[in-house]
Amino acid sequence: MAPLSVPEALARILDGVRATEMEEVDLFGGRGRILASTLTAQFSQPPFDASAMDGYAVRDADVATLPARLTVIGEAAAGHPFAGTVAEGQAVRIFTGAPVPEGADAIVIQENTDREGDVVVVREGKPDPAHVRKRGGDFTKGDELLPAGLKLAPRHLSLAAAMGYGKLPVMRRPVVAILATGDELVEPGTPVAAGQIVCSNPYGIAAMAEAVGAEARLIGIARDTVDSLTEKIATAEGADILVTIGGASVGDHDLVAKVLQANGMTLDFWKIAMRPGKPLIFGHRGAQRVIGVPGNPVSSLICTRVFVVPLIRKLLGLDTGTDALMTARLTHAIEKNGPRQHYMRARLMTGENGVMEVRAAGSQDSSLLEPLSAANCLIVRPADAEALPEGASVNVLRIDF
């Protein structure tokens, strides 16, 4: 089977994907969730004309000529409105946030007054209309304020609460089960013996999945045996996506695809024309989609960004984000590309006159995490792309993981 191009592989992964169902969550659990339906305001905010200052609620006509002497007939505070009506020659002592009493249409700030028992003397100053926060000044009942598909940030949760919502309709988070494989792997923080390496990939993949909006489940390390792989794969039941790491090649010890097929997976493809990341398993286990990424750290993370992230987004009912490329100008020449689409680690920067410039990292070794950590973008080079001189334009994918 000839390797698939990246667009062909991604199209097959996304084919037939349906969004997860809607569920309700409390406001406190809404951060980072995706709204399943548009929210409309249940009432106007503020729900009444409110004072923005401490002072006196008056009729504007009564303070047109100063000084003015007005009889104070009561008090209004936040949560404690004045129940009467302000008539000619009267005023109500008012505090910030209190409803403006009926009959009053202006606020005189306390700094412009003197109090003499039950009389307030307005010495100076013209009432500022901004000192009355008008009913519906923020939003009015029925306004569509939070659209479906919005990823909820803290400011959105405050707005939703103000709109009258105690619970929010959100898309169920797709569950991504993540399984590392290999006899050589040990958990981070444990002793590393001769011939062993730390299992680092699941943590970057899980963080990437969670950042997009999924629920990541680390299901451990499977050893390079049929029994161990079978046992671990069984724990992924119920997940929307199973990501396996390593063992995606065709070596004598690369059992992952065989064991997955023995446990119900229909294999779609296992090779792509991509660098890094040529060995990539994709198949179905019933409704579950299985993506097997290479074990090299850079390969596993870039393949997750290119293939798993768009799948998660589609499960959440979002656009897949596959058009996120921008262009930048090379700061140096680069060689002709080979037969696989190349994702080159690079640094994006702002050059003269605000033009975006990009410089590829010195090493493109897919086993090295430090150059990827230092990069802020990937230069995306098509298969068989010609050599390019300094100053040429290239496509760039910002690193958002």
Side-chain angles (χ1 to χ4, degrees):
M1 179 192 302
L4 295 177
S5 70
V6 171
E8 289 172 331
L10 184 58
R12 283 163 75 159
I13 289 171
L14 298 179
D15 183 47
V17 174
R18 293 186 177 181
T20 59
E21 64 276 12
M22 185 272 286
E23 63 184 16
E24 279 196 333
V25 297
D26 293 334
L27 278 167
F28 193 70
R31 183 178 65 84
R33 300 299 296 271
I34 306 298
L35 265 185
S37 57
T38 297
L39 299 187
T40 59
Q42 304 299 295
F43 41 70
S44 298
Q45 179 73 2
F48 45 76
D49 289 356
S51 177
M53 305 292 288
D54 291 345
Y56 293 87
V58 302
R59 292 172 2 115
D60 189 62
D62 288 341
V63 293
T65 301
L66 300 179
R69 297 175 62 85
L70 306 172
T71 301
V72 179
I73 60 173
E75 182 176 289
H80 301 281
F82 176 73
T85 300
V86 176
E88 183 179 354
Q90 295 179 336
V92 167
R93 180 72 167 112
I94 197 166
F95 298 93
T96 302
V100 176
E102 186 176 349
D105 57 5
I107 302 296
V108 174
I109 61 174
Q110 62 187 19
E111 291 84 350
N112 292 340
T113 67
D114 292 316
R115 185 71 178 264
E116 299 175 358
D118 290 337
V119 172
V120 61
V121 179
V122 182
R123 302 187 315 271
E124 59 186 2
K126 182 175 178 60
D128 187 340
H131 293 164
V132 177
R133 296 172 179 151
K134 291 294 185 179
R135 179 180 184 275
D138 193 355
F139 53 81
T140 58
K141 182 178 180 179
D143 285 349
E144 295 185 351
L145 302 177
L146 296 173
L150 177 69
K151 187 172 186 178
L152 292 165
R155 65 187 185 278
H156 303 132
L157 298 179
S158 289
L159 176 57
M163 291 165 64
Y165 291 89
K167 292 183 178 295
L168 302 172
V170 296
M171 303 299 294
R172 178 180 65 79
R173 297 170 68 194
V175 177
V176 181
I178 301 167
L179 174 61
T181 69
D183 287 342
E184 74 279 17
L185 300 179
V186 295
E187 292 287 0
T190 61
V192 180
Q196 294 182 324
I197 59 173
V198 174
C199 181
S200 60
N201 298 348
Y203 301 95
I205 291 173
M208 205 184 309
E210 294 263 350
V212 182
E215 175 188 336
R217 293 182 185 172
L218 300 182
I219 58 176
I221 301 171
R223 301 307 172 187
D224 291 325
T225 67
V226 171
D227 287 345
S228 180
L229 283 163
T230 300
E231 178 185 350
K232 289 295 186 181
I233 288 168
T235 66
E237 291 296 331
D240 299 282
I241 304 170
L242 168 59
V243 177
T244 63
I245 308 167
S249 296
V250 291
D252 292 340
H253 296 281
D254 294 318
L255 302 174
V256 175
K258 297 174 185 176
V259 177
L260 282 167
Q261 287 175 285
N263 285 271
M265 184 190 78
T266 301
L267 180 65
D268 191 307
F269 63 82
W270 63 272
K271 288 191 297 184
I272 54 173
M274 175 176 171
R275 177 186 175 199
K278 180 180 179 181
L280 186 102
I281 296 169
F282 175 65
H284 299 80
R285 293 177 71 226
Q288 183 181 84
R289 279 169 163 74
V290 180
I291 300 179
V293 300
N296 275 336
V298 175
S299 301
S300 71
L301 290 174
I302 292 179
C303 284
T304 297
R305 173 61 183 85
V306 173
F307 298 109
V308 180
V309 167
L311 176 56
I312 294 170
R313 290 184 61 85
K314 191 163 185 180
L315 284 165
L316 287 168
L318 305 173
D319 68 85
T320 56
T322 54
D323 57 352
L325 296 179
M326 59 177 293
T327 58
R329 188 175 62 192
L330 288 170
T331 62
H332 62 292
I334 54 177
E335 297 178 351
K336 176 180 171 64
N337 192 27
R340 293 183 285 159
Q341 184 158 303
H342 193 185
Y343 290 78
M344 302 176 68
R345 279 71 76 199
R347 289 289 303 176
L348 189 66
M349 62 205 86
T350 303
E352 294 181 4
N353 302 317
V355 175
M356 298 307 297
E357 297 181 339
V358 64
R359 173 179 291 274
S363 173
Q364 298 295 325
D365 189 326
S366 63
S367 69
L368 303 181
L369 274 173
E370 192 282 330
L372 177 63
S373 178
N376 64 3
C377 71
L378 301 169
I379 298 173
V380 182
R381 300 218 68 206
D384 300 314
E386 295 297 329
L388 291 175
E390 177 183 340
S393 181
V394 290
N395 287 329
V396 169
L397 176 67
R398 286 185 183 271
I399 290 180
D400 52 7
F401 58 89

